Amino acid sequence: MSEFTPYNPLDKRNLAASVAEALLERKPRPLGDVPRFDGAGIYAIYYFGDFLAYAAIAAANSKGELTVPIYIGKADPAGGRKGGGGLDSEPGEALCKRVREHARSVRGVDNLNIEHFACRLLVVEEQWIGLAEALLIAKFSPVWNTLVDGFGNHPPGKGRHAGMKPRWDVLHPGRPGFDQLQPRAENAQQIADEVEAYLRSVVPPTPPKLLAGDD
């Protein structure tokens, strides 16, 4: 976009950027201490612990500013994926339930500590949820959204263990329901090495205040 291109505040990208900005301006809270509340929306999860492969993320977040998310996600209204879902879908407790599910995933593994995670949450009108999530993922390329897949997966149903174990569960074993899945070709150390290389190559994210001005 040229610097002389007319700015349209109602362009869907600019509207999504304003939603993303609102999330990044929210005060972080501990991932393990999310209260019950109504609403759907978007969220960002941050890490500042001592897992070696995430040292670059932890260092960026070590002063409490929380500038580098490890995961970006969304929670659609509870009825949004059903046939009658639409703009009038009742959200229920979609957002808090989704983030609490992530907290259970972290607590269930052997090499992560829930005390080393924080999150930002934003209740959003349904039509802007997916767009804002996509913009944030494109901006930050969080490692759990890109290289280490599977954190957002729901536990497989009973008897459904023919699928391959997600990379997230190879790197972080112990999550109930996932250890029975089929093994991968790569092991935890190989994935950890990939993570370290990936994080070394990632350019520091653009400050949140510049989201709306991207070309």
Side-chain angles (χ1 to χ4, degrees), residues 131-201:
L131 205 58
E133 181 206 30
L135 186 150
L136 285 162
I137 291 173
K139 170 56 61 180
F140 290 106
S141 298
V143 67
W144 284 1
N145 291 94
T146 53
L147 187 66
V148 185
D149 69 284
F151 176 62
N153 291 10
H154 296 286
K158 186 177 181 180
R160 296 184 178 181
H161 296 122
M164 187 176 294
K165 184 180 295 186
R167 285 165 63 90
W168 193 88
D169 292 278
V170 175
L171 188 57
H172 303 296
R175 185 162 55 158
F178 287 86
D179 283 346
Q180 293 78 25
L181 294 174
Q182 301 304 305
R184 303 186 69 90
E186 63 267 55
N187 60 36
Q189 186 58 56
Q190 290 170 322
I191 296 173
D193 291 343
E194 289 182 43
V195 168
E196 291 188 59
Y198 174 78
L199 294 176
R200 283 196 301 269
S201 69

Side-chain angles (χ1 to χ4, degrees), residues 15 53 100 102 114 121 124 171 179 192 194 212:
L15 289 170
R100 284 180 163 195
H102 290 321
I114 192 67
L121 313 172
V124 181
L171 188 57
D179 283 346
E194 289 182 43

Side-chain angles (χ1 to χ4, degrees), residues 91-103:
E93 296 180 347
L95 182 54
C96 79
K97 286 182 177 178
R98 184 61 171 151
V99 177
R100 284 180 163 195
E101 181 181 11
H102 290 321

Side-chain angles (χ1 to χ4, degrees), residues 36-161:
R36 293 183 61 177
F37 60 90
D38 289 331
I42 56 175
Y43 57 92
I45 295 176
Y46 299 85
Y47 180 72
F48 44 88
D50 55 5
F51 190 76
L52 185 59
Y54 303 140
I57 296 175
N61 295 331
S62 63
K63 295 183 179 180
E65 296 181 0
L66 301 183
T67 58
V68 180
I70 197 169
Y71 187 76
I72 297 286
K74 67 181 176 74
D76 293 306
R81 295 188 180 183
K82 298 178 182 178
L87 296 183
D88 295 325
S89 299
E90 289 294 329
E93 296 180 347
L95 182 54
C96 79
K97 286 182 177 178
R98 184 61 171 151
V99 177
R100 284 180 163 195
E101 181 181 11
H102 290 321
R104 287 194 297 272
S105 291
V106 170
R107 288 189 177 103
V109 304
D110 303 331
N111 51 16
L112 296 174
N113 185 338
I114 192 67
E115 301 299 325
H116 295 157
F117 288 85
C119 61
R120 287 186 168 100
L121 313 172
L122 183 68
V123 175
V124 181
E125 292 290 340
E126 181 177 358
Q127 62 268 39
W128 302 115
I129 292 175
L131 205 58
E133 181 206 30
L135 186 150
L136 285 162
I137 291 173
K139 170 56 61 180
F140 290 106
S141 298
V143 67
W144 284 1
N145 291 94
T146 53
L147 187 66
V148 185
D149 69 284
F151 176 62
N153 291 10
H154 296 286
K158 186 177 181 180
R160 296 184 178 181
H161 296 122

